[in-house]
Amino acid sequence: MSIDILFKIAGIGILVAVLNQVLSKAGREDQAMLISITGLVIVLMMVVKEISGLFDTVRTTFGL
Amino acid sequence: MDIFKILAFTLVALVVILIVEKTNKEIGILLVLVASICVFLSVFMSVKEIIIVLKKLADGAGINHAYLELLLKVTGIAYLVEIVKNVCMDAGNSTLASKTELAGKVSIAILAIPLITNVVSLIGSVI
């Protein structure tokens, strides 16, 4: 029951959103796009780790 | 893991997801996936005890071990397909959801084929 990972991902999401706003207001749309992509990649890395944990648990328990 | 902690976790996750989903949807959907995985894993420890009890009952009743293994495999597949399907439905993509469901059904059908042949041969021998 790791709620901290939930808050970590939410933090990254909100940070990316804020940075997006700041950069787009400053007139640098391309960097805003890059920031959102990198934020998404970071979150994806964390989610992949959780998914692999899920699959390993289910595989060992159910003998898949 | 008592039920109250899980319920509190789900409500907090729901609020967090709503906040994040307002600005960027992708991370919101990933959060939905992570939250469902956390809830599933926390309940999963008690599922293991249920499986152990089932195995004892099956041995006691003299049921063939292979059938129980098959049953557990099918349940595992059904669990995973259910999670992925619901996340796809949440994202509003019902096409992907139905395709994952189709894949789950096909893989379960493949697993059940030896069982079906056994039953048919059993019936054939009886008649």
Side-chain angles (χ1 to χ4, degrees):
Chain A
M1 183 53 71
S2 56
I3 195 158
D4 56 345
I5 186 161
L6 215 68
F7 289 142
K8 244 186 278 179
I9 294 179
I12 292 177
I14 291 170
L15 187 67
V16 161
V18 168
L19 281 178
N20 244 342
Q21 289 295 336
V22 166
L23 281 175
S24 58
K25 286 295 182 297
R28 289 190 179 78
E29 266 70 21
D30 49 355
Q31 283 167 1
M33 170 58 76
L34 285 178
I35 287 285
S36 59
I37 289 173
T38 47
L40 193 59
V41 164
I42 292 170
V43 169
L44 269 173
M45 299 295 287
M46 298 164 79
V47 170
V48 162
K49 223 172 347 119
E50 287 289 317
I51 291 174
S52 69
L54 170 78
F55 284 162
D56 290 344
T57 320
V58 170
R59 179 177 291 130
T60 49
T61 313
F62 289 109
L64 275 172
Chain B
M1 177 51 73
D2 57 351
I3 187 67
F4 303 110
K5 232 181 248 181
I6 295 174
L7 293 181
F9 175 85
T10 315
L11 289 176
V12 168
L14 179 69
V15 172
V16 167
I17 286 164
L18 284 179
I19 292 172
V20 173
E21 204 153 46
K22 236 206 317 274
T23 44
N24 36 21
K25 300 232 174 327
E26 311 83 16
I27 294 185
I29 286 301
L30 288 177
L31 262 176
V32 167
L33 183 60
V34 168
S36 55
I37 287 174
C38 280
V39 172
F40 179 71
L41 283 182
S42 70
V43 179
F44 205 70
M45 302 316 146
S46 44
V47 167
K48 279 186 185 146
E49 280 115 30
I50 294 172
I51 289 171
I52 290 165
V53 167
L54 271 179
K55 278 195 172 131
K56 272 203 214 83
L57 286 179
D59 296 344
I63 298 172
N64 184 352
H65 213 70
Y67 295 146
L68 190 64
E69 294 299 326
L70 182 66
L71 191 68
L72 287 181
K73 277 201 178 92
V74 167
T75 328
I77 290 179
Y79 264 132
L80 291 180
V81 166
E82 186 67 29
I83 290 179
V84 173
K85 188 189 79 149
N86 285 331
V87 169
C88 290
M89 294 296 271
D90 267 3
N93 199 328
S94 54
T95 320
L96 275 183
S98 61
K99 287 303 157 279
T100 44
E101 201 174 347
L102 174 71
K105 283 179 186 151
V106 165
S107 56
I108 286 176
I110 288 171
L111 273 177
I113 282 177
L115 195 67
I116 296 169
T117 46
N118 286 355
V119 168
V120 165
S121 62
L122 194 70
I123 295 171
S125 65
V126 165
I127 295 169

